[in-house]
Amino acid sequence: MKVSIIGTGYVGLVTGVGFAKHGHEVVCVDKDGYKVDMINQAEPPIYEKDLKKLLEKVVSDSKLSATMKTEEAIRDTEITFICVGTPSKEDGSVDTSAVEKVSEEVAGALKKKKEYHVVCVKSTVTPGTTDGKVLPTLEKSGKKVGEDFGLSMNPEFLREGVALDDFLNPDRIVIGGIDQRSQEFVREVYFPFKAPILLTDLRTAEMIKYASNALLATKISFANEVSRLCEKMGIDVYDVMDGVGMDHRINRDFLNAGCGFGGSCFPKDVRALRSLARKEGLKTKILDAVLEVNQEQPLLTVEYLRDELEDLQGKKVAVLGLTFKGGTDDVRMTRALPMVEGLKDEGAEVIVYDPMGMKNFSKLVDGIDYADGIEEALEGADACIIQNDWLEFKALKSEDLAGMRRKVIVDARRILDEEELSENVTYIGVGKG
Ligand code: UGA
């Protein structure tokens, strides 16, 4: 099929490359000419594992190209996926202005189109947005939904860093449609995929996305809350969750205690669901608690250090890991920020290192030092906090800590093997007691 994709962020580009791999003819649209040029030269403007290799293949096979011309792209394709950002507003509600703006451009193109065309929203939008905002905008084209065009909502479940793999091997594909024809059209695009497909209405599809992210975030905050109790009682929360997760009704995923969840999705989506519920006059006791636990969790690592070093004033603390998880350069809502600010408030001298996140993190915070590598970060440090799970942090050994003044390690992601560390290292693993 001929597919156009508007927005070339990690969702749009991965979706485009994935569809192109399965033989569809894809055109990616972005208003940023630099990104468009890069994609046409088979250079991904974002980092995603394996993306470059597959992009090179689909571009050289002429299965994927990029353009700034929205109207032309829509005219020449049968279906358009809207994959633009939906950031949080101050009050936690979702800013859908980019989706609405793109819908207007799509409406302009639909006006001139004779053949049936399906518009599919992939951006994360709160229930009621696709039929309440996108549909009326598209109808301004004078075309009739159900006759001239179809409308669908197809949420994404892609984790940054492994987004391509998640796209190509999904657990399920959720397709909301305004009518059966729209649903079937989108199902057709997913024809080569093996995953179970759920056909539903637009609002249910929108809500599935929010409820999924909110439940995953709840699992993490739950594990973090239990981890605090485990610490007091000398129990390792990781052993507990291994046992809990063996129940197939629960499963082990997303029960890793640590310093909380960050990123562009969980914090934003939980807040959006909460704001939506409040607008409907409902209380959100669980979601409130999920966010509260998550806010406190990174500061616990500072508390452990205060307990261990007595006073953090003038102490040199290295923070390894600045991005919200390993494998990405994304620092949005990273737990490193409250952690670093907490350390600074206590008077610590902070030095940080991350393989990919230094540039982005330097825009968020002042008054800290940046090291070129782990060795430099640890040189003369009184303590170190491991904030994310990059492989090079997982590989840390006692000899790598040789330059530290005091060998105190707070493992906020539980990636080190304590048994492997020598006796002169004070290891504090979150949730380990
Ligand atoms: C998340 C979801 O996992 C995707 O399914 C969803 O499509 C995406 O949001 C989105 O809405 O677009 P992502 O934010 O990329 O993906 O990252 P995750 O791998 O889910 O991690 C989120 C945060 O939770 C990270 O800070 C991670 O360190 C933390 N986490 C994860 C834990 O603290 N404990 C865990 O057990 C798992």
Side-chain angles (χ1 to χ4, degrees):
M1 285 175 90
K2 294 188 172 171
V3 179
S4 46
I5 302 210
I6 305 188
T8 62
Y10 90 102
V11 173
L13 189 58
V14 164
T15 302
V17 169
F19 281 149
K21 175 186 189 281
H22 282 305
H24 297 307
E25 276 176 44
V26 178
V27 51
C28 291
V29 184
D30 206 291
K31 56 180 187 313
D32 182 340
Y34 178 68
K35 282 188 182 174
V36 166
D37 288 345
M38 280 184 83
I39 294 168
N40 283 328
Q41 286 159 29
E43 265 310 322
I46 45 148
Y47 173 75
E48 268 303 329
K49 192 168 158 273
D50 300 330
L51 186 62
K52 188 170 160 53
K53 218 165 81 197
L54 196 52
L55 180 64
E56 277 168 5
K57 176 159 178 16
V58 294
V59 168
S60 74
D61 291 350
S62 305
K63 285 287 176 199
L64 184 138
S65 62
T67 178
M68 289 175 74
K69 295 178 184 156
T70 314
E71 207 169 293
E72 240 176 71
I74 294 168
R75 194 192 57 209
D76 297 341
T77 54
E78 298 154 88
I79 179 164
T80 301
F81 286 85
I82 299 179
C83 301
V84 292
T86 49
S88 260
K89 287 194 207 164
E90 273 293 301
D91 64 355
S93 64
V94 180
D95 178 357
T96 53
S97 54
V99 172
E100 289 168 62
K101 193 168 169 287
V102 165
S103 305
E104 273 175 25
E105 287 170 27
V106 176
L110 285 181
K111 212 185 267 181
K112 299 177 194 156
K113 232 190 135 158
K114 289 195 181 63
E115 310 81 23
Y116 179 75
H117 191 93
V118 171
V119 180
C120 183
V121 177
K122 218 179 217 313
S123 304
T124 299
V125 290
T126 41
T129 307
T130 306
D131 62 359
K133 287 184 178 166
V134 176
L135 178 60
T137 311
L138 296 178
E139 280 172 330
K140 285 190 202 157
S141 63
K143 299 282 179 169
K144 272 193 115 168
V145 71
E147 284 176 27
D148 306 312
F149 71 94
L151 184 60
S152 167
M153 200 283 148
N154 167 225
E156 52 85 13
F157 304 103
L158 312 177
R159 287 165 301 164
E160 262 186 73
V162 286
L164 191 62
D165 190 45
D166 280 350
F167 184 81
L168 295 172
N169 305 295
D171 286 337
R172 79 313 205 175
I173 295 161
V174 174
I175 300 173
I178 200 154
D179 53 19
Q180 206 185 347
R181 189 176 176 195
S182 308
Q183 290 172 339
E184 290 303 333
F185 211 90
V186 179
R187 196 216 291 259
E188 195 61 16
V189 187
Y190 282 101
F191 169 68
F193 288 71
K194 300 272 177 288
I197 292 185
L198 177 81
L199 298 181
T200 185
D201 58 69
L202 296 171
R203 288 182 179 216
T204 307
E206 290 166 327
M207 189 57 113
I208 287 171
K209 166 69 189 210
Y210 278 99
S212 299
N213 272 4
L215 184 56
L216 291 168
T218 304
K219 284 184 90 174
I220 298 169
S221 278
F222 176 79
N224 283 331
E225 187 158 290
V226 174
S227 94
R228 296 177 193 179
L229 183 58
C230 284
E231 282 173 6
K232 296 270 182 227
M233 308 204 64
I235 302 168
D236 186 343
V237 71
Y238 273 63
D239 293 342
V240 171
M241 291 307 160
D242 284 348
V244 170
M246 285 166 84
D247 185 326
H248 76 277
R249 294 170 302 175
I250 301 174
N251 107 28
R252 179 63 178 84
D253 294 343
F254 284 70
L255 287 175
N256 288 331
C259 50
F261 55 81
S264 62
C265 306
F266 287 170
K268 168 178 92 91
D269 293 352
V270 177
R271 287 179 75 213
L273 199 56
R274 189 169 72 156
S275 152
L276 186 70
R278 285 181 181 170
K279 268 190 206 141
E280 295 294 333
L282 298 172
K283 285 192 179 138
T284 52
K285 296 179 192 172
I286 294 177
L287 301 182
D288 296 351
V290 167
L291 292 174
E292 200 182 324
V293 169
N294 199 52
Q295 207 170 351
E296 294 164 356
Q297 200 65 19
L299 296 174
L300 294 184
T301 56
V302 181
E303 267 179 41
Y304 305 146
L305 279 190
R306 199 192 309 121
D307 289 350
E308 186 60 35
L309 303 176
E310 277 155 28
D311 180 8
L312 292 180
Q313 187 65 41
K315 300 276 168 30
K316 183 175 169 187
V317 179
V319 175
L320 298 183
L322 300 174
T323 53
F324 81 98
K325 61 179 183 181
T328 170
D329 63 355
D330 195 339
V331 297
R332 283 177 288 177
M333 297 303 285
T334 172
R335 303 293 76 201
L337 186 59
M339 200 181 273
V340 164
E341 276 170 349
L343 289 168
K344 278 174 65 191
D345 289 347
E346 302 262 339
E349 277 173 40
V350 183
I351 181 156
V352 298
Y353 169 69
D354 186 283
M356 283 182 79
M358 310 259 272
K359 194 166 148 230
N360 288 338
F361 194 75
S362 67
K363 295 175 197 153
L364 305 179
V365 69
D366 292 325
I368 58 168
D369 292 319
Y370 290 82
D372 281 336
I374 298 176
E375 199 183 334
E376 189 189 330
L378 296 183
E379 188 59 42
D382 295 287
C384 157
I385 304 178
I386 300 175
Q387 188 282 135
N388 69 16
D389 56 356
W390 279 102
L391 286 178
E392 61 182 278
F393 302 152
K394 282 187 187 167
L396 273 178
K397 300 267 175 308
S398 295
E399 45 278 26
D400 301 315
L401 313 178
M404 291 180 80
R405 188 158 43 202
R406 283 186 65 176
K407 298 178 178 40
V408 178
I409 305 285
V410 176
D411 183 357
R413 294 289 176 193
R414 293 293 302 275
I415 54 175
L416 298 187
D417 185 353
E418 189 180 4
E419 313 290 306
E420 293 287 312
L421 297 172
S422 52
E423 274 173 14
N424 63 351
V425 177
T426 306
Y427 174 85
I428 307 167
V430 171
K432 198 156 189 196

